[in-house]
Structure formats: structure tokens, C-alpha cells
């Protein structure tokens, strides 16, 4: 093992003198192992050498404290505001908007400073290409060419607005960075970039820090930044620095091997106290490359692979699972077999992937919703997100409230419904905050309670690490908001909290000497394991294809020798090859399916091994993917229980929309109308669309009811009446909104966010309806939003069923003796159809559901009259009303002859109703036929937007 060999060599060479030396590693983990190996060497008492990470060591050069990331972010915002104000661009007070921008700027700043690049040069305003020739003598010709290429894109063509904006910010960046550095200095603080810059310039305030050690020994490094290279060269020349690089001649000797890109230079410049190994070329240990169909298949194979290692119980710390994709962490932890008693996770993990983050998101939404409703109500979806959150769902009171919301289809939940809940976390979450600043305290209090929950498994321990990190960040945010006195509104505060937490990459670090090791690839630096399993070794993942976000374009990066894609690839290549050097078994798994997130190709590193080395490669394929096609179809036979449930339609109404659903998919009908499973969450758009439709219906109902009241219940409508109603639109929309959201037409609604948009849209739609009613006036309203039904008798299996067929007709009006049935639609419904038969066609892809529904209502209405009256059906599809203007025609259109369509007037309705009735009878008969089960539709396109897709598995 590399670190063991280094420990042996160093002890043999320096013995107890090692106590006076500094040993520097790229990151923390190797020092733990090194200390252990060194301990195994020494026979008598001895002071430990001084072990550092490179960052800890460089930090010794200054007495200033490092500013944490949030403090830097606040200071950068101040610097940005000051510079923009001074330049007359207007200061932004929008800290939240600058936050993510600031993260990129801070990374760029650190990269430039630690690579000793002049910030002024990078961002200088070079109006002419001539400046490049005269001003940058220190750049090579190739670098100048990159620079020219970048600037020519700005100077030779007209600047687009975006480019202009980019340049505007770019030109201000040197001043912003300078002011930022001053603000840091004023507070006696520093950051990594500044430390490197001062160190190289000899401006650090503890110049003799390296003199405290006889030697500085650098162990296990690959790439250095330019500031490090300058310092290391100085220490090397002074005879103070020694280097132990872990290199293999396979990538060292072949200049085409990217894994050796940095080491070839480093070895030339600094030498290597340790001989390069030749293990890759000489290896006879096979590498297992396993193609797995899907990410889940890789994780499922994991227990099987782990169990084959005989040391899984005795020496689990010698086995490592490497994740190239941190999203795999949770599934992997779930997949670890029970016999593994201890697991150690070492990797960076984004808080945004954790359940904790989704809880904070839900808390913020609940608080915003409470604020919208004066603390008295909350929108059901946000409340459900909290009640069903993994941290909170295991609570009887939560479950009862969830059931009530679902059962009663509550949209806006009043405070009385949750007041009795005893769970302290829910009490806190549902208590409206008085000031936005209190939101952070509220979230912290919930996290405190959550952290106190007992936990002993790997997932629980991981959760606690994430909670601690989030808590720390929230504390800092609270503290800094107090120091910088930014007054933020509640939505602003909420989104700032989320921005801050989203940017946190928690360094998960457990006990490295014990347990099965689960690691990120970069965390493997310096370490060796007997058995390694690498997941997601896909092209595009290893090496990654996305560069870190930056405001420094590629050509400028190349011109100034900064990190570019090739260099990042070389870093990953080294990490990958190094892992192979000493391991006894290697399993590389990759996702072989091609989809939006996967190329389906193994990493080119694997292909390189196959073609460039003699390492035996074993290829295998596993397919333990859950294949939706291979799933057993769902078929629900109509047993006694189901038949009993169907009996409800003897009393309850079987609606035309239920018949439509049945024709779309029998199983969907079963879920929705028989089992009454509420459409699961996640169909937010659909729910909003449904709400929009409901409010529109109600608003029109209120308008016509008010008109009738004002005319002593005279329901005739004239052009003048409609003009009067146009003045009541706002009143009607607000009242309808209150009724739908708060179940109380008098309850005022705070129109913010999407509510404001929906209200605007509905007002426009209501006005459109009135405009078209005006062209139809005069007419008389017969009924609005009224229940209608008729009884239909069917005889499936020789048994008679009397079914109540009916529902709510949006509006029936009468003009010149003709009854008109109008349905309002806010979706993309069409009015054209080919034949009535096609309306019932289970296989018809674009079946006109609106037409079928309205024709069934026409039949029901007809049944209400004792004698035949003329009836016509039509659609107020408000989207088309707006589009078609005065040309809008509410009538359905049936195909007649080739390519010919004719409007369906009352004189055609008899024929249409006549054709509808037998087909309708036959569908109803089928619904109640005990021999026809509820099964899935054959047209899978319909599943795409089906709310029961998750349950159904299609
Ligand atoms: S997902 Fe498809 S098959 Fe399943 S219920 Fe919905 S429409 Fe029917």
C-alpha cells in the first residue's frame, strides 16, 4: 500500500527525526491511515510528525482567520453593490439574485489568485486586438491566439444584448474583486485565493512558518496550482521539500496517457523519493466490466458482489465502493447487506439531494401559504408535502389529516383542522412566523427536534450529519443577516435559505479505519483497497462532461493556463488508474441503457485498459432492471366485492366524464371512480388547470345569478344585461376564487404569486364568454351548474341494473324555442368529430371526449321533458374564443363526406342522440358486466398523462 510504503521509507530514513518534520497530504483521509502505518513501524516512544492537508499547511502562512463561504458571499455582494453604484449602473439590493452568481465569482476569484494570474489582465477592457500584442508579452504565441479568438468574437460583429451585459459585468470584475479583498482585510479575514496570492508575493504575515520544520514532505499529490508550484520550487531549491508521488510507469512513460499529464512535469521538477511502480503493465488480475441495464440494476447487484468477498465481515475496511455520481448514495446505502455491521461514507454530498432539503422546502411553502391567508389557512398541497414527508409521516395525527384532506378533496385547509396536532415539529411548522427573519429560527427548531431522534443505522447517521451541516449554515445566515442588516421579505428569505442550503456540499467523513468504505472517487487520493467496486463508470460520468460553472470563457482559460476540460479529465484519469495499481479485485459497473442521462457507453478509461494493457478483461451483462414491458398486466376481475362497489351507481350518479374515463382505460375508471383514489400529488399543473376551470364556471354562475336577482328572477338576457354584467366581472371572479380556495365566497384572498396570474387569466376568459353571449343575445337562461340525471336500464349477465346516469350541466339556455346545452372548457378541447361511433371508440387515439360528454347530457336533458323539444349542444372553449374572435362558433362539427365538416344544429341532434343511445347503453352494460374485468388500456400514449401511472406502473 502506498501510504504504508511511504511510512516505512520515511521511518527508516529519518527515524525519530520525523517529529520535526511536516508531512503534507492532498486531503485529510490519508493522514489518518499514515499515522496508523507509522505507528506500526515505531518501537519506542516518539513525537508524531506534524501532519497537514495542503490547505491547513498554507493556512499557517497567515495569522488571519479564513472567512467562511457565507461571509465571503455577503462581502462580495457589498463589493458588487458599491462598484455598480459608483459606476452609475445602479446598485442591486437583490442579494438573493446575486447569491448563485456570487458562488461562481468566488470560485473564479480563488482560481485566479491561486494560479497567480493577474485579475486586471484577465478582465481588462481590450478594445482592440492590438492591445493583446503589446500588453501581454509574457504569454506564448499559442496563448495569444486563444486570447485573440475570444476578443474577435466581440469586436467583429454587432454585440448582442447578452454579450453586452456580459462584457459590462466582466469589465467591472477587477474593481469588484479588489473591493472584496479590501472588505476581507478590513475585517481581519482572509480566504484561500488571498492566502496564495500573499504567499507568492511574500506578503504573508507569518513569513517564517515553514522554518518551523526541518523538512516538508509532500505525499500523494498529482496536480498543483501555480502558486503551489512556485512555493514548492522555492522549498525544493532550499533543500527543504521532499516528494513522494504515487506513479506507475504505464502512464508516466507514455506521453499520450492523460493520467500522467501532471506527474510527468512534477517528477521532472521535483523528483520522486519513491520509485514508480510497474503494476499496471504487469497485472494479471482481471478487471470485471459489468454492463447493467439501468442505475438501479447496478445497485441491486451490489449485495451479490459484496458477499463474494471472504473478508466482508472480518476486514470490511479493505473493501471500497466508489460512486461517480453522488445521487447513488442513498440507494447504495439501502442496498448494503445486513451482514455489514459498519459503513463509512466519505464523499461530498449535496444537501439538495437530501430529504432534509425537501422538508425545508415544504416548510417554506407552508409559511408562504399561511402568510397569503393571514395565518388562517394553508394550501392543501403544501400541507400534504409536510404531513407526508419521510420525517413526519409516521404520525397518526398526520395520517388522519392526510386522509381527511384526500377524502373530502379539501383545497384550502383552515387552521382548526391542525390546531389539535400534538407533534411539536408540526406545531412549529404550522405556526405562522411574525417576521421573515423568524423563518430561519423556525427551521432550526424543527431540525433540533429531528436531530434528537434516536438513530443507529448508516442512513440515520448520514441524516444527522446533513442536519448538523444545515443547522450550522442557517446559524451563519442568521448571524450574517443580523450583521449586514438586510431586510428581506418572506418569499425572499425563503428562497435565500434554499439557495444557501442548495449550495452546501457536505463533506461526509466517518471513521476511515473501520467498516465498508463508500467513497467519492476524488476522496480515494493516497488510499488503497483490496477490493474495489466502481459504479457508473460511464462515458460522460468518468470523466465528467460538465465543467464547473465559471465566468471565464474557455479561450481565456487557455490563454492564461487555467484549468480546462482536458486537465480535469487528466485528474480523473489519474485517480482511476491509481486505484487499479494495488487492488486485488476490480469490478467496474456501467449503465448500458441509453437515455437522457446516460450514453449507455462504458468510460473510455475502460476501453483504454482493454486496448493498451494486457490486463485480462472479463465482460459481463446483468439485467435485473425492472422492465415495465415485462411487468404482469394488471387485471382486476369483478368479484363479489367489486360488484358490490358497482352497486353504488344505483344511487350515485354515473357521470358522462366517468364514461369517458372508462373508454380511455378501464383500470383508470376503477382507480378513480370505484376505489376513489385521489389523483396523487405531482399533478400540480393538472390540479391548477382544474382549479382554473372550476373558478371560471363559478364566476359565470355568479354573474348570471346576480343578473336574475337584479331582475326579480327574470332570466331573460339582453345585450344591455350583458354590458351590465361586464362591470361585475371582478366581483364575480373574486367571489368564485374565495369559494374554490377557501370554501367561503366571502373570505378575502391575498392575490400573490400564481393566484394573481390565475385571477388575471380567469377575468380575461369571463370577458370572452360575455362577448360571445352578447352576440347570441337575447336568450333566456334555464339552468346553471345544475344536477341532471336520468335512469338507464341495462341487463348484463341477465341481471337488471337501473343506473342513475347524470351530472352537472354547466348551462342550459333557450332561444327561439331551442334548448342549448353549453359546456365551458379551459383546455385544448376540439369541436370536430367524425362519427358518433368514433366517440365511443376505445382505440380511437384522439377521441372527442367533450363532444361525447355534451351529447350524453343532451340525451339526459331530453329525458326531462315530457315531449320532444329541440336541443342543441355546444362548447365554450375559452382558448379558442380568444383566438377566433368574432368568428368563434360554439357548435360541434361533424364530418360529412371527404374533408367536409358541417355544424351540428338542433335539426341534426335527433340523429346524433339516436346514434348515441345504443352505444351508451352498451358501454354501461359493459361496466356492470361481471365477466369484463378492469384492465389496462392498450394505447400506452394515454398513460403518459395518467395520474395513476405510478400505481399502475405503466
Ligand atoms: S397508466 Fe395507463 S393503463 Fe394504467 S391506469 Fe393509467 S391509463 Fe390505464
Amino acid at each position: 500500500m502506498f501510504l504504508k510504503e511511504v511510512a516505512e521509507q520515511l521511518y527508516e530514513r529519518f527515524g525519530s527525526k520525523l517529529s520535526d518534520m511536516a508531512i503534507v497530504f492532498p486531503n485529510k483521509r490519508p493522514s489518518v491511515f499514515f499515522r496508523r502505518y507509522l505507528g506500526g513501524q515505531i518501537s519506542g516512544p516518539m513525537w508524531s510528525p506534524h501532519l497537514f492537508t495542503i490547505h491547513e499547511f498554507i493556512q499557517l502562512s497567515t495569522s488571519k482567520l479564513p472567512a467562511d463561504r457565507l461571509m465571503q458571499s455577503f462581502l462580495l455582494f457589498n463589493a458588487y453593490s458599491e462598484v455598480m453604484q459608483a459606476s452609475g449602473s445602479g446598485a442591486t439590493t437583490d442579494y438573493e439574485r446575486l447569491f448563485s452568481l456570487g458562488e461562481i465569482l468566488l470560485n473564479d476569484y480563488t482560481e485566479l489568485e491561486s494560479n497567480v494570474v493577474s485579475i486586471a489582465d484577465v478582465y481588462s477592457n481590450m478594445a482592440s486586438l492590438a492591445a493583446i500584442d503589446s500588453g501581454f508579452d509574457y504569454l506564448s504565441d499559442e496563448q495569444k491566439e486563444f486570447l485573440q479568438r475570444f476578443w474577435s468574437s466581440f469586436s467583429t460583429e454587432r454585440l448582442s444584448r447578452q454579450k453586452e451585459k456580459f462584457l459590462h459585468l466582466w469589465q467591472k470584475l477587477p474593481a469588484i474583486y479588489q473591493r472584496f479583498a479590501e472588505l476581507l482585510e478590513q475585517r481581519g479575514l482572509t480566504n484561500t485565493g488571498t492566502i496564495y496570492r500573499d504567499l507568492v508575493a511574500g506578503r504573508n504575515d507569518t513569513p517564517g512558518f515553514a522554518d518551523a520544520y526541518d523538512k516538508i514532505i509532500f505525499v500523494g499529490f498529482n496536480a498543483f496550482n501555480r502558486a503551489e508550484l512556485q512555493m514548492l520550487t522555492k522549498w525544493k531549491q532550499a533543500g527543504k521539500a521532499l516528494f513522494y508521488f504515487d506513479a506507475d510507469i504505464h502512464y508516466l512513460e507514455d506521453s499520450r496517457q492523460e493520467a500522467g499529464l501532471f506527474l510527468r512535469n512534477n517528477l521532472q521538477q521535483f523528483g520522486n523519493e519513491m520509485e514508480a511502480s510497474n503494476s499496471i503493465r504487469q497485472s494479471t488480475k482481471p478487471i470485471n466490466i459489468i454492463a447493467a441495464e439501468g442505475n438501479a440494476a447496478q445497485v441491486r447487484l451490489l449485495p451479490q458482489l459484496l458477499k463474494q468477498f471472504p473478508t466482508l465481515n472480518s476486514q470490511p475496511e479493505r473493501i471500497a465502493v466508489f460512486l461517480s455520481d453522488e445521487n447513488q448514495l442513498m440507494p447504495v446505502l439501502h442496498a448494503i447487506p445486513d451482514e455489514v455491521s459498519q459503513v463509512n461514507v466519505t464523499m461530498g454530498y449535496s444537501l439538495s439531494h437530501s430529504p432534509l432539503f425537501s422538508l425545508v422546502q415544504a416548510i417554506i411553502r407552508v409559511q408562504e401559504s399561511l402568510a397569503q391567508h393571514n395565518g388562517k389557512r394553508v394550501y392543501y398541497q403544501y400541507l400534504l408535502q409536510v404531513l407526508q414527508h419521510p420525517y413526519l409521516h409516521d404520525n397518526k395525527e398526520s395520517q388522519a389529516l392526510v386522509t381527511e384532506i384526500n377524502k373530502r378533496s379539501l383545497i384550502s385547509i383552515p387552521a382548526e383542522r391542525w390546531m389539535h396536532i400534538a407533534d411539536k415539529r408540526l406545531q412549529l411548522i404550522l405556526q405562522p412566523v411574525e417576521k421573515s427573519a423568524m423563518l430561519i429560527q423556525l427551521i432550526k427548531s424543527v431540525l433540533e427536534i429531528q436531530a434528537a431522534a434516536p438513530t443507529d443505522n448508516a442512513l440515520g447517521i448520514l441524516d444527522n450529519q446533513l442536519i448538523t451541516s444545515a443547522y450550522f449554515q442557517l446559524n451563519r445566515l442568521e448571524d450574517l443577516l443580523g450583521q449586514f442588516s438586510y431586510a428581506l421579505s418572506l418569499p425572499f428569505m425563503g428562497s435565500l435559505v434554499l439557495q444557501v442550503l442548495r449550495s452546501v456540499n457536505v463533506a461526509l467523513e466517518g471513521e476511515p479505519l473501520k467498516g465498508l468504505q463508500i467513497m467519492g472517487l476524488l476522496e480515494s487520493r493516497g488510499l488503497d483497497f483490496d477490493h474495489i467496486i466502481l459504479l457508473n463508470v460511464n462515458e460522460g460520468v468518468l470523466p465528467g462532461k460538465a465543467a464547473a460553472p465559471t465566468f471565464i470563457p474557455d479561450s481565456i482559460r487557455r490563454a492564461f493556463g487555467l484549468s480546462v476540460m482536458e486537465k480535469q479529465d487528466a485528474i480523473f484519469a489519474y485517480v482511476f488508474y491509481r486505484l487499479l495499481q494495488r487492488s486485488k479485485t476490480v469490478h467496474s459497473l456501467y449503465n448500458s441503457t441509453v437515455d437522457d442521462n446516460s450514453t449507455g457507453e462504458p468510460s473510455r478509461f475502460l476501453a483504454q485498459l482493454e486496448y493498451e494493457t494486457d490486463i485480462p478483461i472479463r465482460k459481463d451483462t446483468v439485467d435485473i432492471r425492472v422492465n415495465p414491458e415485462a411487468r404482469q398486466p394488471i387485471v382486476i376481475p369483478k368479484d363479489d366485492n367489486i360488484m358490490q362497489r358497482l352497486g353504488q351507481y344505483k344511487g350515485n350518479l354515473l357521470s358522462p366524464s366517468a364514461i369517458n374515463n372508462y373508454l380511455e382505460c378501464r383500470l383508470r375508471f376503477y382507480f378513480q371512480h370505484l376505489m376513489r383514489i385521489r389523483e396523487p400529488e405531482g399533478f400540480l399543473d393538472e390540479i391548477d388547470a382544474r382549479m382554473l376551470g372550476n373558478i371560471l364556471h363559478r364566476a359565470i354562475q355568479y354573474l348570471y345569478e346576480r343578473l336574475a336577482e337584479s331582475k326579480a328572477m327574470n332570466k331573460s338576457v339582453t345585450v344591455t344585461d350583458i354590458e351590465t354584467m361586464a362591470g361585475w366581472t371582478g366581483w364575480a371572479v373574486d367571489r368564485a376564487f374565495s369559494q374554490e380556495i377557501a370554501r367561503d365566497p366571502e373570505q378575502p384572498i391575498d392575490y400573490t404569486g400564481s393566484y394573481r396570474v390565475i385571477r388575471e387569466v380567469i377575468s380575461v376568459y369571463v370577458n370572452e364568454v360575455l362577448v360571445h353571449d352578447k352576440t347570441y343575445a337575447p336568450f333566456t337562461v334555464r339552468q346553471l351548474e345544475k344536477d341532471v340525471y336520468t335512469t338507464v336500464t341495462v341487463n348484463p349477465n341477465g341481471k337488471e341494473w337501473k343506473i342513475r346516469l347524470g351530472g352537472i350541466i354547466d348551462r342550459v339556455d333557450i332561444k327561439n324555442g331551442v334548448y342549448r346545452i353549453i359546456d365551458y372548457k379551459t383546455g385544448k378541447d376540439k369541436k370536430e368529430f367524425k362519427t358518433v361511433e368514433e366517440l365511443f371508440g376505445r382505440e380511437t387515439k384522439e377521441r372527442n371526449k367533450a363532444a361525447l360528454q355534451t351529447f350524453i347530457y343532451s340525451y339526459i336533458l331530453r329525458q326531462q321533458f315530457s315531449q320532444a323539444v329541440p336541443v342543441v349542444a355546444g362548447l365554450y372553449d375559452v382558448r379558442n374564443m380568444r383566438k377566433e374572435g368574432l368568428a368563434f362558433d360554439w357548435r360541434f362539427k361533424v364530418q360529412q363526406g371527404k374533408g367536409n365538416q358541417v355544424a351540428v344544429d338542433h335539426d341534426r341532434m335527433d340523429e346524433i342522440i339516436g346514434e348515441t343511445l345504443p352505444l351508451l347503453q352498451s358501454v354501461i352494460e359493459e361496466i356492470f358486466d361481471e365477466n369484463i374485468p378492469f384492465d389496462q388500456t392498450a394505447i400506452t400514449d394515454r398513460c403518459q398523462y395518467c395520474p395513476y401511472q405510478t400505481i399502475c406502473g405503466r
Side-chain angles (χ1 to χ4, degrees), residues 664-669 671 935-937 939-940 942-944 946-950 952-954:
E664 288 291 283
C665 172
R666 295 185 186 100
L667 189 64
R668 192 193 293 181
F669 174 90
F671 286 142
D935 57 3
Q936 292 160 307
T937 175
I939 305 194
T940 45
R942 288 186 187 149
C943 306
Q944 207 181 341
C946 172
Y948 302 100
Q949 203 183 23
T950 334
C952 178
R954 269 285 183 86

Side-chain angles (χ1 to χ4, degrees), residues 4 10 54 66 131 166 208 218 361 374 464 481 728:
K4 194 163 181 245
L10 281 176
I54 183 82
F166 174 72
F218 294 89
Q361 245 174 345
N374 302 322
N464 272 351
L481 283 171
W728 300 338

